[in-house]
Amino acid sequence: MNELIVNSSLNQTRVALLEDGELVELYIERENSKRTVGNIYKGRITNVLPGMQAAFVDIGFEKNAFLFVKDALPVEMSGNTDVSIRDVVKSGQEIIVQVIKEPIGTKGARVTTHITLPGRYLVLMPDVDYIGISRRINNEEERERLRGLLEGLKPKNMGVIVRTAGQGKEEKEIKEDLKFLLKLWQKIDREKNLGFAPRTVYRDLDLIHRTIRDMFTSSIDKLIINDYEKYKSILDLVELIAPHLKERVAYFKTDMDIFDNYQIGKKISNAIERKVWLKSGGYLIIDQTEALTVIDVNTGKYVGSIDLEDTVLKTNKEAAEEIAKQLRLRDIGGIIVVDFIDMNNDDAEREVLDVLEKALERDKTKTNVLGITQLGLLEMTRKKVRGRIGSIMQKKCPYCEGTGKILSEYTVIQNIEKEVKRIAVHTNAEAVFIEVASSVEVFLKTDHNRFIKELEEITHMKIFIQGSEYIHANDINVKSMGKIEKIMELLVKNK
């Protein structure tokens, strides 16, 4: 059973896609950070970079958007590598662009001049004469039928692509969708000529309405939402675009948290963990950088029952299934390298690749499996459109700066030595009182109990160390320095 669970709260909306109770996709939209992919802007070229064959475009964001030459050329010329970006755009020029990739990390949004408008069954491309059919519609007779329909309906000098949801639809439904998209384009065409850059020309639907348009198809058995007003809004939209699905929409009436009811909260927590356990007892380690993701496969607790070769193959096949799921769930994009457990023959490698490729067929985002290298590493790419779930739900640790590590106790006591020596040289203090993390205090009292005595002998100062659960493991806090009597009084007061 496939279910869409919509959790609408005060400051954010979350949509979870469950397949047989398993969380496979998660979308989050916050009030202060709405999605921008699909939005159309009137921008201004701020800088042309011939060396990169690209230009920066001010569209009103904190960071300027990035426009590659192939996205600035007319579609029929976009494969031409001989054209310089200088011949296409000029600094100060106003230009209409659409966001195709969200700003991620330090990078601004990526934009294109090739406008596309998605509907329920079709995608309209106003600037190119083209007919296309979704690659997921693989029945050749159906593809020809849809192509024939479009040839009679498509406006002159415009392009239309049939989406997967258009499979099996009759001429009337296709025609209505096209009519809606043409009206939308007429409105955008008028709007783009008004006002000065930078300004918003068109804003795509919010998360809930995009979910109805893009995901709520006949393959979804149930859509459940916890907000009554939005539930009624969904019913109105479904009545217009897919009335046969109306009975599948349900309102979650109870006071219980809807995600807790479907046990989604724990699954989301697992989606941002570095280690992912497999049912067999094996596990994955997922490490991510801005452009590259590395996935390591390990047998873990799984010891098999036949021989080593069989154990490795079974672990790798299970891992392949889980990797495909994790790519969707975490929305991992860019270059992906998988270190499967070493396999001794080509047949086993082919078997694992087949499992991975079959599992990836459920992924709407474009993926490209390049194969296994001589080092035994699988290389693949996945289209990057938005930030990963981890980057939305988490922020960089202010202490470790994203490394996932803190200073060792040895390093902290080295910092204590440095600070005490500095105080001894620059002040007349007889004593110093330093707070450290409790773990550092224990380390000093057990493994390094001579350290303080030796430091006192060198600096001719009395040193008092006190552990605190409120001090971070990286930090030391000099609470007082001066006369021994004064610090002794402070110690008694602290106790």
Side-chain angles (χ1 to χ4, degrees):
M1 175 179 273
N2 296 335
E3 299 170 294
L4 285 167
I5 313 299
V6 184
N7 186 347
S8 177
S9 59
L10 292 175
N11 70 338
Q12 69 177 4
T13 300
R14 295 181 293 173
V15 175
L17 173 60
L18 304 182
E19 291 179 356
D20 297 323
E22 283 294 311
L23 178 65
V24 294
E25 291 180 22
L26 178 69
Y27 301 89
I28 300 172
E29 186 169 85
R30 298 193 173 119
E31 288 301 316
N32 61 349
S33 57
K34 297 274 190 181
R35 168 184 149 123
T36 58
V37 168
N39 292 358
I40 299 172
Y41 299 90
K42 178 184 274 193
R44 179 175 285 105
I45 304 293
T46 59
N47 198 9
V48 179
L49 310 171
M52 296 182 68
Q53 280 288 66
F56 283 114
V57 189
D58 178 10
I59 57 174
F61 288 14
E62 185 180 345
K63 293 186 180 74
N64 285 339
F66 204 66
L67 176 69
F68 283 106
V69 66
K70 68 176 184 179
D71 294 317
L73 285 167
V75 174
E76 60 272 13
M77 293 178 61
S78 57
N80 191 333
T81 56
D82 298 327
V83 180
S84 169
I85 187 70
R86 280 179 172 162
D87 299 327
V88 184
V89 294
K90 309 291 180 188
S91 287
Q93 174 186 339
E94 290 192 347
I95 188 169
I96 302 298
V97 292
Q98 185 172 36
V99 176
I100 55 174
K101 188 185 287 186
E102 298 278 0
I104 298 174
T106 58
K107 297 177 181 176
R110 182 175 165 186
V111 295
T112 180
T113 59
H114 308 151
I115 307 298
T116 57
L117 299 175
R120 175 72 173 172
Y121 308 123
L122 306 174
V123 176
L124 179 68
M125 298 181 294
D127 301 320
V128 56
D129 193 353
Y130 176 77
I131 291 177
I133 311 292
S134 166
R135 60 190 173 95
R136 291 181 180 271
I137 302 175
N138 46 33
N139 182 294
E140 204 54 46
E141 285 185 19
E142 176 63 5
R143 292 178 69 88
E144 286 303 315
R145 183 187 75 85
L146 290 168
R147 191 177 296 278
L149 272 180
L150 289 183
E151 284 173 352
L153 296 173
K154 185 184 77 67
K156 191 177 180 182
N157 299 325
M158 284 193 177
V160 180
I161 297 174
V162 180
R163 305 184 73 178
T164 309
Q167 185 169 353
K169 300 304 171 188
E170 298 301 323
E171 181 176 352
K172 182 183 176 184
E173 295 167 291
I174 299 290
K175 195 172 183 178
E176 283 297 316
D177 202 38
L178 181 58
K179 184 180 175 183
F180 163 77
L181 290 173
L182 288 171
K183 280 186 178 178
L184 179 60
W185 171 243
Q186 287 167 5
K187 182 181 177 184
I188 292 169
D189 202 29
R190 289 193 301 269
E191 189 72 24
K192 71 181 186 182
N193 296 315
L194 304 174
F196 296 101
R199 65 184 293 269
T200 305
V201 172
Y202 165 73
R203 194 175 295 281
D204 199 11
L205 301 175
D206 63 22
L207 177 57
I208 291 179
H209 292 92
R210 284 200 316 273
T211 299
I212 304 303
R213 181 189 69 192
D214 299 338
M215 298 176 69
F216 191 41
T217 64
S218 299
S219 65
I220 302 295
D221 300 290
K222 207 80 176 169
L223 184 149
I224 305 152
I225 183 168
N226 64 338
D227 184 300
Y228 187 67
E229 291 303 317
K230 289 175 181 174
Y231 162 71
K232 291 193 294 184
S233 171
I234 287 173
L235 286 179
D236 290 341
L237 182 57
V238 172
E239 181 69 50
L240 281 173
I241 64 173
H244 62 288
L245 297 177
K246 195 173 178 181
E247 61 183 24
R248 302 189 190 186
V249 181
Y251 168 56
F252 186 76
K253 296 178 183 178
T254 67
D255 293 332
M256 184 180 181
D257 183 89
I258 188 170
F259 270 22
D260 286 347
N261 184 71
Y262 287 90
Q263 300 175 336
I264 296 170
K266 188 175 186 304
K267 293 180 173 108
I268 292 174
S269 298
N270 292 340
I272 54 180
E273 291 289 332
R274 182 170 176 257
K275 180 182 280 190
V276 179
W277 285 100
L278 304 174
K279 290 176 182 175
S280 65
Y283 63 88
L284 311 176
I285 295 292
I286 302 176
D287 283 321
Q288 296 172 281
T289 66
E290 194 167 321
L292 174 70
T293 299
V294 178
I295 303 175
D296 187 29
V297 181
N298 299 275
T299 52
K301 302 171 186 175
Y302 182 53
V303 294
S305 57
I306 301 175
D307 55 32
L308 177 60
E309 198 170 306
D310 180 72
T311 302
V312 167
L313 180 58
K314 283 182 177 176
T315 304
N316 281 341
K317 286 169 72 175
E318 187 184 4
E321 283 269 6
E322 186 62 32
I323 286 165
K325 191 178 93 174
Q326 290 296 325
L327 296 182
R328 288 174 71 192
L329 177 55
R330 298 172 186 240
D331 207 10
I332 295 171
I335 300 167
I336 300 155
V337 175
V338 182
D339 185 10
F340 284 109
I341 305 165
D342 289 342
M343 293 171 279
N344 295 324
N345 63 74
D346 294 340
D347 290 341
E349 286 185 358
R350 185 66 256 169
E351 206 172 326
V352 171
L353 277 177
D354 287 344
V355 170
L356 178 64
E357 287 170 349
K358 187 174 181 183
L360 286 171
E361 288 175 4
R362 297 192 289 270
D363 191 351
K364 296 192 296 290
T365 301
K366 185 179 179 182
T367 57
N368 185 17
V369 178
L370 303 173
I372 295 177
T373 69
Q374 290 182 332
L375 293 174
L377 302 174
L378 178 131
E379 296 177 341
M380 64 178 292
T381 61
R382 187 172 185 269
K383 188 176 180 182
K384 187 188 290 187
V385 177
R386 61 190 178 112
R388 299 182 290 255
I389 289 299
S391 67
I392 296 170
M393 295 185 63
Q394 298 171 306
K395 67 177 184 178
K396 190 179 285 186
C397 169
Y399 289 97
C400 73
E401 288 295 320
T403 65
K405 300 180 186 297
I406 57 171
L407 298 179
S408 70
E409 288 84 358
Y410 288 100
T411 305
V412 175
I413 66 170
Q414 182 68 36
N415 292 341
I416 292 172
E417 180 182 342
K418 180 181 174 183
E419 182 62 16
V420 170
K421 285 179 176 178
R422 188 192 67 78
I423 291 169
V425 170
H426 294 287
T427 73
N428 295 319
E430 297 176 0
V432 61
F433 173 31
I434 300 174
E435 268 191 334
V436 296
S438 301
S439 59
V440 176
E441 182 192 28
V442 171
F443 183 77
L444 283 168
K445 286 181 177 177
T446 52
D447 298 350
H448 275 65
N449 55 355
R450 284 284 309 154
F451 170 77
I452 296 299
K453 290 178 183 176
E454 290 174 0
L455 191 56
E456 286 177 336
E457 289 172 8
I458 293 169
T459 59
H460 308 293
M461 291 173 63
K462 187 67 179 172
I463 302 166
F464 299 93
I465 300 287
Q466 188 173 74
S468 170
E469 61 186 71
Y470 302 108
I471 298 289
H472 191 274
N474 284 4
D475 294 343
I476 60 173
N477 180 18
V478 178
K479 289 211 75 172
S480 183
M481 56 187 182
K483 298 289 183 183
I484 293 178
E485 296 82 3
K486 292 286 184 185
I487 293 177
M488 293 290 287
E489 288 174 15
L490 181 61
L491 275 169
V492 172
K493 193 181 293 183
N494 274 10
K495 285 181 180 178

